[in-house]
Amino acid sequence: MGILVPRAIGPSAYGDFSYIISTYGFLFQLFMFTSSTAYIYFLSHNKYHINEVNTFYFIFLFMITMMVVIVGLITISTEFGLEYLWNGLNDKYLLYLGLILGIFSQLQARLTEFSDSTAQTIQSEKIKLLSKFSMVLSVVTFIVFDSL
């Protein structure tokens, strides 16, 4: 992704894209309330079954992702959001691409936590590979449809 995205969007838009990705990363961290620390704590103390903790955490992550998507869509579609959250950026295709790649990046980070804490590296690596393939596919889709 580090080579494909800058070539597709151009050097002038890459700084804007970095700002977009950083903003989505901040939104994810803000809404998560350091829940990853609690996740590892509950897994390491064996108070609950691993499947119950994993199910709860991934449902929580899904809800956080939906919150970020809703905030992203609302701020992209309103003048107030474009002015204050996105600092006047008007390239909506770049904002949507940042949202998609931000979601996949957060998914990969959470899967790394999952594999490290549960020793299920093979399962999480398969999902991470699928996530990386989806990232590349989304960028190629944006390029093919000449959205960038």
Side-chain angles (χ1 to χ4, degrees), residues 3 22 27 34 58-59 62 76 106 112 126 131 140 143 146:
I3 296 173
S22 298
L27 288 174
T34 65
F58 283 109
I59 289 172
F62 178 75
I76 290 171
Q106 288 299 315
T112 300
K126 288 178 184 178
S131 175
V140 169
I143 292 171
D146 200 28

Side-chain angles (χ1 to χ4, degrees), residues 54-131:
N54 288 338
T55 301
F56 175 78
Y57 188 62
F58 283 109
I59 289 172
F60 177 74
L61 289 177
F62 178 75
M63 291 181 349
I64 295 300
T65 302
M66 289 298 107
M67 288 174 53
V68 170
V69 167
I70 289 169
V71 168
L73 293 177
I74 289 172
T75 57
I76 290 171
S77 63
T78 62
E79 193 67 35
F80 180 79
L82 287 173
E83 181 65 31
Y84 292 103
L85 182 62
W86 301 117
N87 202 21
L89 295 173
N90 291 324
D91 191 356
K92 291 188 179 183
Y93 294 115
L94 200 59
L95 291 168
Y96 288 128
L97 179 63
L99 175 62
I100 291 168
L101 296 183
I103 290 169
F104 286 130
S105 299
Q106 288 299 315
L107 175 66
Q108 290 178 7
R110 300 300 79 90
L111 288 172
T112 300
E113 289 176 359
F114 172 75
S115 66
D116 290 345
S117 61
T118 61
Q120 297 182 16
T121 306
I122 294 173
Q123 181 182 2
S124 68
E125 287 298 324
K126 288 178 184 178
I127 298 171
K128 282 172 38 179
L129 182 63
L130 180 66
S131 175

